[in-house]
Amino acid sequence: MKELLVQTIEEETEVALLEEGRLAEYYLERSSNQRLVGNIFKGRVENVLPGMQAAFVNIGLEKNAFLYAGDAAPPRTVAEDGELQSGETRLQIQDAVKAGQELLVQIAKEPVGVKGARITTNVTLPGRYLVLMPTVDYIGVSRRIESESERERLKDLALSIKPPGMGLIIRTVAENLTAGELEQDVKGLLTLWQKIQGKLDKAVAPALVHSDFELALRIVRDLLTADIERMWVNNVYVYEKLLEAVDLLAPGLKAKIKLREADLFAEYAVEQEIQKALKKKVWLKSGGYLVIDQTEALTAIDVNTGKYVGVNSLEETILNINLEAAVEIARQLRLRNIGGIIIIDFIDMQLPEHQASVLKALEQECKRDRVKTNILGLTQLGLVEMTRKKMRQSLESVMTRNCPYCDGYGKVASEETVALRVKKELLEKAGYSEAPGFLVEAHPLVAALLIGSGGQSLEKLERQAGKTIVVKGCDHLHVTKYEVRALYSEQEFAAQSPLTVGQILELTVSEPHSVNPQTGIGRVNGFVVNVEDGGAHVGEQVTVEVTKVQRTSATAKLIL
């Protein structure tokens, strides 16, 4: 069973495709980050690079768009699935476009990172049942229509309704439709094309001349099919717009659209699935797991047995894990919208029939994917190579950004590493500063290492620096961040003490004192507090009164 959820909250629209109750595809559109693929522009060629066989075109976005030579002229042929195939003799970019030339172009791929959008001069206008190609003369049929007789019938119909000099790609939902239904779609797309040409004549480059449908309407056009059980919508305004759209596009499916003013994603536990899809590790029901690493060049997926130990033989255990992993990998590729080169490291299988079974399972599950995939098979190293066409930004790039501390690396420096950095900077500054002392503000974990047990590390650091040093633990600081500044007066030194005599506070006794086990050790932002008779309360939170304050530690008594 398939269901669609359309949830609109303030300036954000989310769409979830559920298959058998599980999230299979997820779409997100925010007013601040509108989808660009499918938009048509009047652009101006800024520069032509023969060495790259490409040109950069100003279409009014932050970065110039990238026009590859193969996308700069109509293709000679088209494959059965509608994928454009350029002829054997490619046109050179310097012969196709010139600097300063104005072009009608369409965004084929979203800008990603430092890369601008990829554009094409081969404009496509998608309808409900077919795609109009105004600049190319050919007929194509979706690869998902498998019946040869139906393919031939649709080709003949397309040939009879095709506008002169233009091309058509028959979409999957057109299967078993009549010539009249297809012709109605063509008329609507021709009217749209005429409007675009009218805007093109008046527009001054760079300019947007056509925007594709907003997300909710695209879902009706592209995803609402006969096999969808229901389409739930949580917003009355969006619901009414969708009813109007489906009246024009597919009246027979109107009854599938239902209004439910509720948090649909909470009801169907979609949010939890999205959060899982942003993590590297994906657990399988059997106890095995996947590790998914996305890089700029490719995506690597590793399969692990995890907690699964099997029942009979090792080979059977490995096969079961790999079969389950193949199904989940296909789902994750759709859900995360991962495109480009994908390398899968299944657990090594010795038997060729097991390898064939896993590849077959992966291929079968990838057939559910509307985006074109190509499985190349096993390499000599036992890795599965495959590709998935890049159509839009991945879930990770839409919903996350690089960590400002690790810059996307996924790890940060340990407190030991940071403490050593602090020491180096402190000694360097102490070498040329006339200040009698320094204040170090750092994360409590780093501060504790700088002070050391009983203040021994701090005393050693003071001898090396020849200065008085005050170390202050600050909870608000990230573990990698710290500050070293000079102190010049007694008042400045006194102001840095985190505790005062007579102060009442609560703290956790973390360990017994190394010399006197009856005394417990607690810490306040890395500052050591010796709790008299606290050794019997290790691991407990206690209330104490400060009785003595020194530079690196304080003494306190229990309040019972």
Side-chain angles (χ1 to χ4, degrees), residues 295-358:
T295 70
E296 189 171 344
L298 55 82
T299 297
I301 303 176
D302 186 35
V303 182
N304 298 274
T305 55
K307 305 170 186 175
Y308 183 64
V309 295
V311 178
N312 298 317
S313 67
L314 175 61
E315 278 298 320
E316 184 181 309
T317 299
I318 292 172
L319 175 62
N320 290 339
I321 282 286
N322 283 341
L323 286 172
E324 186 184 7
V327 173
E328 185 60 27
I329 286 169
R331 172 177 172 265
Q332 289 293 327
L333 294 180
R334 293 171 66 195
L335 178 54
R336 297 172 186 239
N337 195 38
I338 294 173
I341 300 170
I342 300 158
I343 304 295
I344 306 171
D345 185 10
F346 285 106
I347 302 169
D348 289 341
M349 296 169 283
Q350 302 301 319
L351 301 178
E353 57 266 33
H354 286 183
Q355 296 175 357
S357 295
V358 171

Side-chain angles (χ1 to χ4, degrees), residues 348-420:
D348 289 341
M349 296 169 283
Q350 302 301 319
L351 301 178
E353 57 266 33
H354 286 183
Q355 296 175 357
S357 295
V358 171
L359 284 176
K360 185 178 179 181
L362 182 61
E363 290 170 355
Q364 195 65 33
E365 285 301 313
C366 284
K367 287 182 179 179
R368 295 173 176 259
D369 198 345
R370 294 187 311 117
V371 178
K372 185 180 180 182
T373 57
N374 186 18
I375 299 172
L376 305 176
L378 284 163
T379 68
Q380 290 182 337
L381 294 175
L383 305 174
V384 173
E385 292 180 328
M386 66 176 290
T387 60
R388 186 174 185 270
K389 189 173 181 181
K390 288 184 177 179
M391 298 294 291
R392 53 194 175 92
Q393 291 179 306
S394 69
L395 180 68
E396 181 181 73
S397 62
V398 170
M399 299 197 70
T400 66
R401 66 182 181 91
N402 279 353
C403 170
Y405 295 106
C406 71
D407 197 25
Y409 178 65
K411 295 182 183 296
V412 295
S414 66
E415 50 267 29
E416 290 87 353
T417 301
V418 178
L420 287 171

Side-chain angles (χ1 to χ4, degrees), residues 106-273:
Q106 185 175 38
I107 293 184
K109 291 181 182 178
E110 298 270 357
V112 179
V114 297
K115 297 179 181 177
R118 181 167 174 172
I119 55 176
T120 176
T121 59
N122 300 309
V123 175
T124 61
L125 298 176
R128 171 69 178 172
Y129 304 122
L130 46 80
V131 178
L132 177 67
M133 301 285 289
T135 61
V136 191
D137 189 354
Y138 69 86
I139 298 293
V141 179
S142 167
R143 62 192 170 97
R144 290 177 171 272
I145 300 177
E146 298 178 351
S147 169
E148 283 303 321
S149 60
E150 179 62 10
R151 294 178 69 86
E152 289 301 321
R153 186 186 75 85
L154 289 171
K155 282 182 186 178
D156 292 339
L157 285 181
L159 197 59
S160 67
I161 63 174
K162 182 177 73 68
M166 297 187 183
L168 294 176
I169 298 175
I170 307 299
R171 305 185 75 177
T172 308
V173 289
E175 193 169 8
N176 300 320
L177 293 184
T178 64
E181 290 171 304
L182 295 180
E183 192 170 12
Q184 190 66 30
D185 218 15
V186 172
K187 287 180 181 178
L189 293 173
L190 274 175
T191 301
L192 175 60
W193 176 238
Q194 289 164 2
K195 288 181 180 178
I196 291 171
Q197 287 183 308
K199 290 182 180 179
L200 179 66
D201 294 336
K202 300 176 184 177
V204 177
L208 173 68
V209 294
H210 170 69
S211 293
D212 197 7
F213 286 162
E214 61 187 55
L215 177 59
L217 296 178
R218 290 200 310 272
I219 295 304
V220 169
R221 183 188 68 194
D222 299 336
L223 288 184
L224 184 59
T225 54
D227 62 343
I228 297 292
E229 190 80 13
R230 284 179 299 273
M231 181 176 183
W232 293 105
V233 185
N234 81 321
N235 182 285
V236 175
Y237 173 71
V238 174
Y239 171 71
E240 291 174 350
K241 283 179 65 176
L242 294 184
L243 289 182
E244 290 176 10
V246 83
D247 262 339
L248 295 173
L249 296 172
L253 301 178
K254 189 173 182 179
K256 292 180 179 288
I257 302 179
K258 307 287 186 183
L259 176 66
R260 187 193 296 172
E261 296 182 82
D263 188 342
L264 300 174
F265 278 32
E267 286 187 20
Y268 286 83
V270 171
E271 192 60 42
Q272 292 92 312
E273 288 297 311

Side-chain angles (χ1 to χ4, degrees), residues 36-57:
L36 295 175
V37 169
N39 288 357
I40 299 174
F41 295 81
K42 185 176 185 179
R44 183 188 304 110
V45 179
E46 292 294 324
N47 50 348
V48 180
L49 306 174
M52 294 178 64
Q53 279 302 296
F56 286 99
V57 181

